[in-house]
Amino acid sequence: MIKKSNSLIFTAMLLSLLPDCLYGIVGDVARAGSENTEVNPYALAAAFMTYVGVSIGRGPYKQIGDDWHHTNLFAVHVGRSSLGRKGTAKKLVTRIAKAIAAIDQNIAPKIHAGGLSSTEGLAMMIHDGYKVGAVTTPPIEDKRLLVMESEFANVLHQAARNGNTLSTTLRSAWDGTSIQPAVKNNPVWASNPHIGLMADITPTELLDMMSSRELTNGFANRLLIFWAEGAKVVAFPTSTPQRVVDDLAKRTIAILQFAGADRYVDRDVFQVEFSAEAKKLYECLYMGELRDRSAGERITGLLARRPAVLLRIATLFALTDKTLIINTAHLNAALAWVRYWVDSVKFIFQSAVDEEAAAEVAAISEKMVAYLKEHGKTTRTELTKICFQGHVSRSRIDKAIDELLAVNPPVIEVESIKRPNGKPGSSTKYYQCCANSANSANGETCRPHVPDLGVVRSLRSQRSVAAKDLSDQEVSHKSQMSLA
């Protein structure tokens, strides 16, 4: 079992690494619910962000090109049974939601906590109206829906069944596109959905049930996956005082009124913009950290929507300050969450061997780029013999070159030059840094975020123990059954 001191050390490191996550009212809610309880403040903050993001509705939006981003999030809390305190992390948010609904029902979204099983069931909760025989059911005008799924493993199980389109539907819901079940008779559609997902799962279930299809079809990279367990050990936790709940509810209502949540039928009426400084910061992040591929193809695929998630969270933080301008504080708070997401995904899905291989490729790539910047156009032979002095194998150099070429825009470029005077033999390849590459253009300011190795090792230790805990529980359960 994990020693209590290890858990406390991990929590202390997390608190020091990610203070920007607990921004504004999100931080106030997190602190209020975790002050004298075992609730992880980040888990509580994520739950509150998801609730507010759904409640805001589709009035405010952040436009980047032809993409219009809204504030709905799909947050997945990963933690071991009992230690994750996953259910407890949502109780204060539930109390705040009830207080808001009691004051103004129109401003509160619909909350579904009964589990998801099919596309038809999801569409029915926010349908566009339908007719059965002579009976016509009018449409549901409020398309805001918060799904609280305490057993996310059930969703993954349903999505894995042949013919089940639930994962495809959830992708559409995250995007805000219409939900159209493939039903021949009396189809039930739901247009303009604004759905948020607040889900819980254990690490073992997530690894076992997340199929390769979900990892590659765009479903998994829409999930804000984060690892969080009990922040501390408290024998007699205290309830958040009702006056604090009421105050947080009133502050939240003021935010939702500013965002036009009570006018939920209005869509895309408030455009959120960057401040001049935030625009420069986002460009730097987009050209560097948000497109970092150093963790390998699998992890990069799981994090493919880092820019979109960053924009959604930054927009949400701006609205909690009752402004339509995203400033650097909002962007930094959103970036802290993206970094938390990145580190959690690496910990959960990346094995020690994968991590070492990715770190090796990153180190080789960095050294190669530094050499090319200093020496200019260089042959492959020169890279092998001079840059790496023959200590790095051809396959490892090839992997680093492939990664540097795969970045968009690429960091390096290759040029093949035929032998002079028509001499036989293959062309000579020359490598050099691209003039417009992210690394060349932005220098050190856009270097990828490097997680603290102490935190990563602590998380990996907890994951290995989690698997043993589950195995021990199964053995104990079987023994009890045999005795009975």
Side-chain angles (χ1 to χ4, degrees), residues 3 20 51 71 96 99 113 119 126 163 183 186 233 276 315 357 365 427 471:
K3 294 181 180 179
D20 286 343
Y51 170 78
T71 55
I96 293 173
T119 296
I126 50 171
V183 180
N186 300 319
V233 178
T315 299
S365 300
S427 302
S471 177

Side-chain angles (χ1 to χ4, degrees), residues 31 33 40 59-60 75 111 144 171 197 238 244 265 291 305-306 333 342 360 386 449:
R31 286 181 285 271
N40 186 295
I111 298 177
R144 299 172 302 157
R171 297 202 317 261
L197 175 65
T238 58
V244 175
V265 294
R291 304 171 73 83
R305 283 182 168 77
R306 278 171 287 184
V342 169
E360 183 181 59
I386 302 176
H449 163 63

Side-chain angles (χ1 to χ4, degrees), residues 165-216:
T165 59
L166 186 56
S167 67
T168 302
T169 301
L170 288 172
R171 297 202 317 261
S172 298
W174 189 90
D175 295 338
T177 56
S178 298
I179 300 173
Q180 302 178 359
V183 180
K184 294 182 179 179
N185 299 320
N186 300 319
V188 178
W189 288 12
S191 60
N192 301 306
H194 189 70
I195 298 174
L197 175 65
M198 196 186 296
D200 300 330
I201 194 168
T202 66
T204 303
E205 289 172 330
L206 183 60
L207 287 169
D208 289 348
M209 303 190 70
M210 184 74 81
S211 69
S212 58
R213 182 181 66 178
E214 273 71 46
L215 291 174
T216 57

